[in-house]
Amino acid sequence: METTLKPRDTREVEEAVRWAAAENQPLEICGHGSKQGLGRPVQAAHILDLSNLTGVETYEPAELVLTVKAGTPVAEVEELVDDNGQELSFEPMDYGPLFGSEPGKGTVGGVLASNLSGPRRIKAGAARDHVLGMEAVSGRGEIFNSGGKVVKNVTGYDLPRALCGSFGTLAVAATVTLKVNPKPETSATFQLSGLSEEDGVKALCAAMGSSAEVSAAAHLPSGINGEDSKTILRLEGFETSVDYRFRTLQNLLKEFASPARLAEAESQALWRSIRDVSPFANGETPVWRVSLTPTAGPRFVKLLRDRIDLKAFFDWSGGLVWLSCDDGRIHDVEIRAALTDVGGGHATLVRADASVRSNVEVFQPQPAPLATLSRRLKEQFDPHGVLNPGRMISGV
């Protein structure tokens, strides 16, 4: 019979995992369930629900440090830091709309478990780059602390970074300390319309190599949202600096098209849409997330268009491609073959039925040496295999 365990603090998390390890009872780790459709279906009969593990433990705006419990909704954290003129610079995306659920339910622990980041990743890095410390419980049922609670303390950085992106298969994060940053005074978007995918990504890469300090770069091909193509670059900072850098881009990219400037409110809405993959939200078609060399993005999509019916758009200056397979099929063989043809990368199946995700490689298959290292890491942290078994790799 399925049991749901709802710990209220780290000690109760420890007790739950110790019970699971002793009784050989695998656990599915979740917060509010906004990312349960991400990865392979977990092979567990019991749920470790962290939704009661919420609240801010310490927040020191002057020190740019925030410590929260792992079940705290990201939306609450973003509201708190915004009230103090600060932000989570890695701009975590919200998977809720993509899976057809209510937005704003993602938790801090879930964000770190999947190492989420949004369009600003090209400038600020991923979630793992903003973790200062972590209190967690290993699959052995042991509490451990790593890192610290000050920005300059780098002791133990590697362990929290290793746990980010492990999808709860190595340890259960209970409390997390994050670095926050001052929020830019203003933002604007530099927009070119009507460019092809090749020219759009070429313009993005030129801008990223300039002195314009672009904080986000994306290309929405013609037909996305029923509109003409948009090649967009975000500028953030002091107003005079944003104005100057806009003119820099205008001179740099004048051969492509004349730009439009989106004001702050419109700019923020557009980048939130890209962050949360809104063009493919609330649908049922399979969705893939593909990371590759930015300049290879347009060729990769062209190869696929010759084989399958799809929609695609580009983030991270072309280095992140979101694909929707409009015929409803997975096309994992074609997608990974095309990825190999353009020099390699990583393709992750993000949205598909559970039955499908049980029978295909959801994550990019690892080379043998890396797969061996991953198994050894799993054996060290979770030797009994009780934490989210099967989430990333079948039987592990």
Side-chain angles (χ1 to χ4, degrees):
M1 185 176 72
E2 181 178 288
T3 303
T4 298
L5 308 172
K6 299 188 71 170
R8 293 164 294 182
D9 56 33
T10 307
R11 286 294 175 192
E12 291 189 2
V13 174
E14 177 191 32
E15 291 172 5
V17 177
R18 282 192 174 183
W19 168 81
E23 299 295 328
N24 194 27
Q25 295 291 326
L27 299 171
E28 178 176 4
I29 318 301
C30 72
H32 291 287
S34 65
K35 288 178 281 297
Q36 278 186 299
L38 190 59
R40 303 181 76 258
V42 174
Q43 301 157 2
H46 308 288
I47 295 174
L48 184 61
D49 182 343
L50 303 181
S51 60
N52 282 342
L53 209 64
T54 63
V56 175
E57 291 206 341
T58 59
Y59 177 34
E60 302 176 51
E63 300 296 328
L64 305 177
V65 172
L66 169 71
T67 300
V68 297
K69 294 180 180 178
T72 306
V74 175
E76 292 182 12
V77 173
E78 289 181 318
E79 182 178 359
L80 171 65
V81 298
D82 183 70
D83 289 343
N84 286 273
Q86 297 177 340
E87 67 179 10
L88 299 177
S89 292
F90 57 96
E91 201 173 6
M93 71 169 292
D94 185 349
Y95 268 112
L98 192 62
F99 292 135
S101 61
E102 186 180 351
K105 296 297 184 181
T107 63
V108 172
V111 163
L112 299 183
S114 46
N115 193 34
L116 290 187
S117 52
R120 203 183 285 110
R121 188 193 190 286
I122 58 175
K123 180 179 181 181
R128 62 163 57 98
D129 300 307
H130 296 258
V131 179
L132 298 176
M134 184 181 294
E135 181 182 57
V137 178
S138 73
R140 299 173 182 270
E142 299 170 344
I143 297 175
F144 64 90
N145 288 274
S146 184
K149 292 190 176 183
V150 294
V151 172
K152 293 182 180 179
N153 183 354
V154 297
T155 304
Y157 256 45
D158 288 347
L159 192 52
R161 286 168 65 90
L163 297 181
C164 289
S166 65
F167 288 83
T169 61
L170 300 178
V172 183
T175 303
V176 179
T177 298
L178 297 170
K179 174 175 62 176
V180 298
N181 287 309
K183 187 178 179 181
E185 179 183 273
T186 190
S187 67
T189 292
F190 180 100
Q191 176 177 301
L192 301 173
S193 298
L195 300 188
S196 66
E197 292 172 359
E198 293 79 5
D199 284 345
V201 170
K202 190 180 297 184
L204 297 180
C205 290
M208 291 304 300
S210 74
S211 61
E213 296 183 38
V214 172
S215 69
H219 177 78
L220 304 176
S222 178
I224 296 294
N225 295 327
E227 300 176 354
D228 196 2
S229 71
K230 295 179 180 179
T231 304
I232 52 177
L233 297 152
R234 183 171 61 189
L235 302 172
E236 298 178 304
F238 294 109
E239 188 169 357
T240 54
S241 174
V242 169
D243 292 342
Y244 174 79
R245 286 181 282 138
F246 189 95
R247 291 193 296 272
T248 298
L249 289 178
Q250 192 169 12
N251 291 329
L252 177 69
L253 304 177
K254 59 186 177 183
E255 65 180 278
F256 292 97
S258 296
R261 177 168 176 162
L262 306 185
E264 186 169 13
E266 187 178 2
S267 175
Q268 289 177 349
L270 178 59
W271 288 106
R272 191 178 302 112
S273 170
I274 293 170
R275 182 196 74 178
D276 296 340
V277 199
S278 294
F280 303 152
N282 300 311
E284 297 181 354
T285 59
V287 171
W288 289 81
R289 179 185 187 275
V290 183
S291 59
L292 71 176
T293 303
T295 53
R299 181 169 169 244
F300 167 73
V301 172
K302 185 177 185 303
L303 285 173
L304 285 176
R305 281 210 180 97
D306 292 339
R307 306 172 189 174
I308 63 178
D309 183 18
L310 61 81
K311 288 188 179 68
F313 71 89
F314 305 80
D315 197 359
W316 299 357
S317 193
L320 175 63
V321 181
W322 287 97
L323 300 174
S324 171
C325 300
D326 286 356
D327 61 2
R329 296 167 58 195
I330 300 300
H331 295 294
D332 54 314
V333 174
E334 296 96 326
I335 288 170
R336 291 198 165 114
L339 195 55
T340 299
D341 289 344
V342 300
H346 292 83
T348 301
L349 177 59
V350 172
R351 185 174 70 194
D353 290 340
S355 60
V356 173
R357 289 183 285 113
S358 295
N359 293 290
V360 301
E361 295 279 6
V362 171
F363 298 95
Q364 185 72 19
Q366 295 178 323
L370 185 56
T372 299
L373 181 61
S374 296
R375 286 180 181 273
R376 288 178 180 173
L377 195 61
K378 175 71 171 176
E379 290 168 1
Q380 289 296 316
F381 277 90
D382 183 22
H384 306 286
V386 297
L387 301 181
N388 274 354
R391 184 77 182 270
M392 300 190 76
I393 302 172
S394 178
V396 178

